[in-house]
Amino acid sequence: MNSQQQEWLALGIVCLVAAVFVMRWLRQRKQGGSGCSQCPKSSCTSTPSEK
Amino acid sequence: MTPANRKHLIATDLEQNQQAVIAVIGNPNTGKSTLFNLLTGMRQKVANYPGVTVEKRIGELNIGERRFQLIDLPGTYSLAAHSPDERAAIDVLLGRIADMPPPDAVLVVVDATNIKRNLFVATEVLELGIPVVIALNMVDLAAAQNIHVDADALAARLNTTVIATIAAASGQNNLEPLKEALARAVDEEVQQPWALIEDVKHAAEKLASDTTREFQAQATDEVVQPVAAYEIQRALIDKGGEAEKHLVAEFGESLSLRLQTLRDQLSPDQTLAERDAHHRYAHITSVLDGIVQTPSGQLKRSWSERIDQFVSHPILGSLLFVLVMATVFQAVFSWATPLMDLIDTGAGWTTAQVYAILPEGAIASLLADGVVAGVGSVIIFLPQILILFAFIIVLEDSGYMARAAFLMDRSMRWCGLSGHSFVPMLSSFACAVPAIMGTRVIPDTRDRIATIMAAPFMTCSARLPVYALLIAAFIPPQHYFYGLINLQGLVLLGLYLLGIVGGVLTAFLLKRTVLRGSTPTFLMELPPYRTPNIKSVLLRLMERAKAFLVRAGTVIFFVSVVVWGLAYFPRSEILAVEFERQKLLVESSVQVEAEREQAIARLENELSAAQMEQSLLGRMGKTIAPLFKPLGWDWKLSAAVIASFPAREVVIAVLGTTYAVGADVEAEDAGLRERVRNAAWPDGRKVFTPGIALGLMVFYALCLQCAATVAIIRRETNSWRWPAFAWFYMTGLGYLGAYACAQLG
């Protein structure tokens, strides 16, 4: 892999990581969480208000 | 929900092999959480109750083939809710929590050394009709005080199961009788709710039925949930409490008037709360008559009380407190070093492996300079955080922290806070996020917000590497008083004090302006001293470690990768070609191998710096540089500071890249220190004068550069107003502080 191919791959990884993080954050927001990631996701069951 | 319905639900649950729910309730300091931890082990998860910031701790209990869900409710002295925590406890018992069935049984943990007061909440739970098992805990401490309780007789009189336990010393085997009792309780028939004061219960039932009917008549097109009679009963007894607030919010002010009218009718001579307490204590006294042996005559002072003579003494206790805290901080910094060095070595080894395995280029740089350097620079603080939390947990479990809060109450009152704020403020020295979550124990909302605003000023672990780098670079290692006082140490102490003063003054100003109000009396029970249960301490520590590592693996990983991307792209072909040309020139002109390698390394660093300058981060840095010009910062420093707003520790990695050091950009790296020290403007002037270096430290001491803290303030205050205020206020203070320092030259 030459340096230019490496750069494209690295750029792709950066964009992918950013997209995954933003989507994860948005999903957490949609579920009513604050968007913070202090607790393990599997443990976070907080919802915006009592149904 | 009627008992019949509940029984149907239980039957359905059991048929479907779903987990039955057992709620665990009890007074604070009864060993409730220790017992919960022992029953559930690592099978726990923590979340919030819907709509409120009260922690919900759920665990799984296995008894033979059957699995149960255990819910650890917040500690409470009665079912009279006066805080969101107590409100959540009642909501769970009444089955009012969304997605959570009402409990099939309740485990009430009772302190055998203080059985009369502990049975207050137990008798209230018994009135609900839900099967109850009472864990008569701390029977060993009771026996040491010559208090003996006949558990079987108590069970017979309360018509429930009572099991003697010693949570602090229990192994799994000792808990078998309790587990069996819980399994039996879940299958028990549910009784009709009853009440010690029958007329209050009847009045509450009538008002609940009337209110439901009236609302059903108004809401023609929807089905109104029946009002819980027990909630009305609580609202009647606990005037102004959470139950009344909740009902009034739901059904309007007219309900408040009807409640008051009923109170006047039911108890004209005394408050209903007083009447309830008199009846309840009379009932408890009759229950305990003849089955509790207490020491007669002059009570010999317990060893706990004897220790308290010294520990809670205003002067001796304060001195001991300073000594304990000094030991804690000393341990945090000295004991952690070997482990931190180990992690540092691990990160360095990983970086070397990445460069050894992968060909030179963007991918190797992304992994080594982005992921390993970024995540590694945060994980390195795990030992410090665990040591601090180990101390805090042991001090809490031993009963010392309650004394410390009691001692600090007077000092905290000066700035308008009470002893409740002490533990969250102390936790902030590790991380503001759990500290802000810890403010949930503060019952007064104004006090809680003032504490939340003050907590982020305390020097958290993430500030440490920034201080370490800047102090090592700009403060000479001079010693005074025969080497006893080190100037670098003094500056570090000064930065810690600056954070404390900033937090205290903020609380002081807020409590005298927008959060004005009387400081509530700080009432707390001093629990007896006890040996912490090692298993329970380790479980809590592992919980902390897990949360920290998850954060490092998510937020920090993301920030590291994105900042690397911003600092790396776009690449300039012209610069790369020029570098190759100069490299060839060096290779052909420098004959000595060592000198040649040194020259090429210098060229690589210069290329890295030049690429960085035209990268997105470099361009952004140059754009925002005018904003920081009054502080005397160049664009590289401005870019690093901006990049570190999501997490302040990121500044180390960004400074390393901007000052073109290469792979190893740890704070302790002499290369980075030298580069920062020698950084110069194009005209040759030094970027970091003593005033500007000090200003940068002050900026990091005061500024709110932590996205997680902003998010948690938003979550805990349920508004964007306070996090926005905290961010602008702290950033403004940091800016002004740095500006003032820059004027020193």
Side-chain angles (χ1 to χ4, degrees), chain A residues 31-33 44-51, chain B residues 48-52 98-99 715:
Chain A
Q31 285 171 352
C44 186
T45 55
S46 59
T47 50
S49 60
E50 200 172 331
K51 288 171 192 171
Chain B
N48 273 1
Y49 286 104
V52 287
D99 302 328
R715 185 173 173 146

Side-chain angles (χ1 to χ4, degrees), chain B residues 584-605:
Chain B
L584 284 173
L585 202 68
V586 167
E587 280 172 347
S588 62
S589 60
V590 182
Q591 300 303 319
V592 183
E593 193 182 342
E595 283 179 17
R596 192 168 57 237
E597 280 175 6
Q598 208 175 2
I600 291 173
R602 197 166 49 242
L603 275 178
E604 279 174 352
N605 281 345

Side-chain angles (χ1 to χ4, degrees), chain A residues 1-22 24-25 28-29 32-51, chain B residues 45-48 50-51 56 91 96-99 359-364 366 431 433-434 437 546-548 550-551 554-555 557-558 561-562 564-565 568-569 571 573 708 711-712 714-715 720:
Chain A
M1 197 184 282
N2 64 33
S3 64
Q4 208 161 24
Q5 285 171 324
Q6 277 201 47
E7 281 171 17
W8 278 111
L9 181 60
L11 188 60
I13 293 170
V14 171
C15 293
L16 186 70
V17 167
V20 167
F21 189 85
V22 170
R24 186 177 173 277
W25 181 74
Q28 224 171 327
R29 294 276 305 153
S34 65
C36 84
S37 43
Q38 285 302 312
C39 311
K41 192 169 161 283
S42 57
S43 303
C44 186
T45 55
S46 59
T47 50
S49 60
E50 200 172 331
K51 288 171 192 171
Chain B
K45 65 175 184 175
V46 182
N48 273 1
K56 177 170 70 176
D91 281 346
R96 291 175 52 89
I97 301 287
D99 302 328
E360 198 180 322
I363 297 295
L366 168 63
C431 178
V433 172
M437 287 162 77
K546 193 175 159 191
F548 180 80
V550 164
R551 176 168 154 71
T554 52
V555 179
F557 172 77
F558 159 76
V561 170
V562 170
W564 177 88
Y568 198 85
F569 295 110
R571 305 300 282 174
E573 276 303 308
I712 207 75
R714 153 77 183 87
R715 185 173 173 146
W720 274 112

Side-chain angles (χ1 to χ4, degrees), chain B residues 520-560:
Chain B
T521 310
F522 178 49
L523 286 175
M524 73 176 299
E525 181 191 5
L526 293 182
Y529 290 101
R530 58 183 82 125
T531 313
N533 181 285
I534 291 174
K535 190 179 172 189
S536 181
V537 172
L538 289 177
L539 278 172
R540 287 165 70 185
L541 265 184
M542 282 178 76
E543 216 172 71
R544 292 284 174 200
K546 193 175 159 191
F548 180 80
L549 290 174
V550 164
R551 176 168 154 71
T554 52
V555 179
I556 300 296
F557 172 77
F558 159 76
V559 170
S560 302

Side-chain angles (χ1 to χ4, degrees), chain B residues 78-143:
Chain B
S78 82
L79 294 187
H82 288 284
S83 72
D85 284 46
E86 291 167 343
R87 161 100 205 145
I90 295 167
D91 281 346
V92 169
L93 292 178
L94 296 181
R96 291 175 52 89
I97 301 287
D99 302 328
M100 185 184 281
D104 302 291
V106 181
L107 171 62
V108 184
V109 184
V110 166
D111 175 2
T113 64
N114 204 342
I115 190 165
K116 193 169 179 179
R117 197 198 61 207
N118 276 249
L119 281 181
F120 196 94
V121 73
T123 55
E124 287 181 327
V125 175
L126 282 164
E127 285 179 329
L128 297 174
I130 309 169
V132 167
V133 173
I134 291 178
L136 189 63
N137 201 22
M138 296 198 257
V139 285
D140 55 334
L141 288 179

